Amino acid sequence: MLRQAQIKSFTKPWFLEILKRTLIFLLVLGLFLMGLATHIARQSFPQESGTIQLPGLKAEVTVERDKWGIPHIYAANSHDLFMAQGYIHAQDRFWQMDFWRHIGSGRLSEMFGSSQVETDKYLRTMGWARVAQQEIPQINAQMKGYLEAYADGVNDYLAKHQGSTLSLEYAVLKFLNPGYRPEPWQILHSLTWGKVMAYDLGRNFQSEIERAILLKTLTPAEVEELFPPYPQDLPVILPEFGKKEDAVKEDAESSFPVSPRLPVLASSSLFSALESITQPMMALEELIGSTGIGIGSNNWVISGDRTTTGKPILANDPHLGVQIPSIWYEVGLHCTSKSADCPYNVAGFSFAGMIGVIIGHSDRIAWGVTNVQSDVMDLYIEKINPKNPNQYEVNGKWVDMQLIKETIQVAGSQPVVQTVRYTRHGPILSDVSPNLQQFQPSQPLELPQNYAVALRWTALAPSKLGYAIPEINRAQNWQEFRTAARNYDVPAQNLVYADIDGNIGYQMPGKFPIRAKGDGRYPVPGWTDEYEWQGYIDFDELPTSFNPPAGFIATANNLVSREYPYLITADWVYGYRAKQIVEMISQQTQPISLKDVQQIQGSDRNLNAQTLIPLLQSVAVDTPRLQAAQKLLQDWNLQLGMTSSAAALFEVFWKHLLAETFHDQLPKRYFPSGGDRWYAVVANLVKQPNSSWWDNRNTPKVENRDQILRKSLTKAVDELERIQGQDPKNWNWGKLHTVTFRNATLGKSGVAPIEALFNRGAFATAGNGETVNANRWKANKSFEVTDIPSLRMIVDLGNLDNSLLIHTPGQSGHAFHRHYNDMIDPWRQIEYHPMLWQKTNVTANTTGTLKLMPKLAE
């Protein structure tokens, strides 16, 4: 009776009036707060027109911003060009620059307090800032001048902008860390950018750790089934690249041993040590907008013999973690008159924090990049002196470690002092695990009683990447391009090339270790020279191609050549994207147009479905709804379109198939993600209907392939009926497969009102991680998109003004700016905007002209 009285009272007019007023108040308050945030945000919007004096400029610089917010910078000399680039980057993206330099130097705690101390310890152990500091004295005068000019441009902006006038994030940060004030930009901060990117693009030691940990519960043969060799039916980048007669290294195929043996025999303490290393590593991945190994990219270049223009077409779409603002910043860098002092006339994509254009074209050449995902990281088990934890064994003798004391400043708390230990191989990563010392050594005795895990990595030695960018930007031909590529050492990339004379080419640059023994697939003993690096593959021995007979070159992180004699990696990305690209180019009977290339970049064809659907069709089902599901897939065109119901069914089925097949035998940390490796694993397993992998070890009966296929299909139908209704016509892949662009810092704060200020989404997307339109989702997490084609570029070497590009979510780093998220919809729809080139076209599309002027003499 009391409950009925309460319900009646809630329906009385006075209660409804209070409820109404409360809701109106909350709505008004929300609108007020949003309006206040917008007002504060507008203070930081860049000045796009008028005149600004910059001390240090030698001459006037003109910056024309087009309707997409992209600046086209015109300067009379190189110094002013890069100084203006620094100023413009700071205008639009300084929060992003500030955040990334704190990652690069392991100083996140200065901004965000004690929550980031463990991440800073990991970063200080890596020591990126120490390596970058070693590079500075080695920089030649020209490069140093460029970097100093860039830093001066950034600092000129900082001199007149602080707090909320820099970016809305600083207004929010003030509540969390009132004393924070950005320091001046330094050359060091530009150089650490390369280290962060190298880490983001090259963490193959994760695979070493995974394989080693899996040996805890699986046999070596079972582990190898989960890391199968590169399939014979998938394409390689350079099919014509031959084997060197005098090479002494093993064939690429031999890097997949049939029955591997962990060089240091497994023990429970070693497994725990390796697992503990992954914890700060995963925290860092969240910060840099990355989701671990497996992300990739596409690029290809087509000779004029195959195109409608008679000149090459070059395409590129790098795949990186979802984030806002974009990791890319579009820019045009133009010398008003090309000369020895000012040899730059280039457009494309830069990184805020670094000089030059990373991907793009000049007036003579165009280039694109994809990640090699090379094996340039090795974990070494070091034998530690039980009487002195700062000594380790080298060939029977105790050697002193290098000890480096680091002081981590922590906002709102006391500094934290850390001692980083270095062996000859590199930093001891296991030191960043606070619980490692609790582990007790165990049998077998091949593992040292006292040990630590050290990392050797090419990026932890001085690099010349900074040189490569401006050198590529001013290269005029293939020879100069290759000369510049020699310095593109870390991270290693697949570079494709085209020029206005009609040439196309490919070059793989990078530092690739030559190992005395082993293939880098498992942690190895560090106390002898048995597994040492003997040097690097000579640049002139690295894979290259110029005007190949096929008339095109396509890369998608896949195997470079079946005959290449040196080990690049044993963990190539399997070439499912590459196969689609190669087929769409090679099977084209008519000359290829820019429109055709757009269609290739937007392809959503699922080759995994091509393998599995015939098997699904042959499975006997006895209910009308499962028969309807089979019919839906039978009539499907294999395209993972946004509105496709069959695409939704197949991808949900794929998630359940992986769970039903592998979850009973693998640790949760290594549940299948569903990407390219798992395509290859399952493609092999379906040929073995009674493989032990199909059996669910948690049930008394023994399951086979067809039973698991049927069960997975049933669960997929159950899930879709539950979340999208019983009518298959209402099933929709895009509603499941959404992308949300999150700010890497405050957008992941866990405070909903703050996240709402900076994040945008969710938006429906097509494809998956292995379609050319690579919007990756993780089967061990959710259908949400984690990695995307972060940009798409198509360059017409016949007429540079016909070139196209897009990135996402937008050009501006300022929340509520009109260019903050205006590129999301065209990007989702595989649409582009013109890559403006000629000055007349730039001017015709200009919405604001800014004059940067030298300071007048007093």
Side-chain angles (χ1 to χ4, degrees), residues 20-35:
K20 179 181 176 182
R21 289 180 180 181
T22 302
L23 292 174
I24 291 174
F25 172 77
L26 292 174
L27 177 62
V28 171
L29 178 62
L31 292 173
F32 171 76
L33 292 175
M34 191 66 72

Side-chain angles (χ1 to χ4, degrees), residues 499 626 668:
D499 62 38
L626 292 183
K668 186 175 181 179

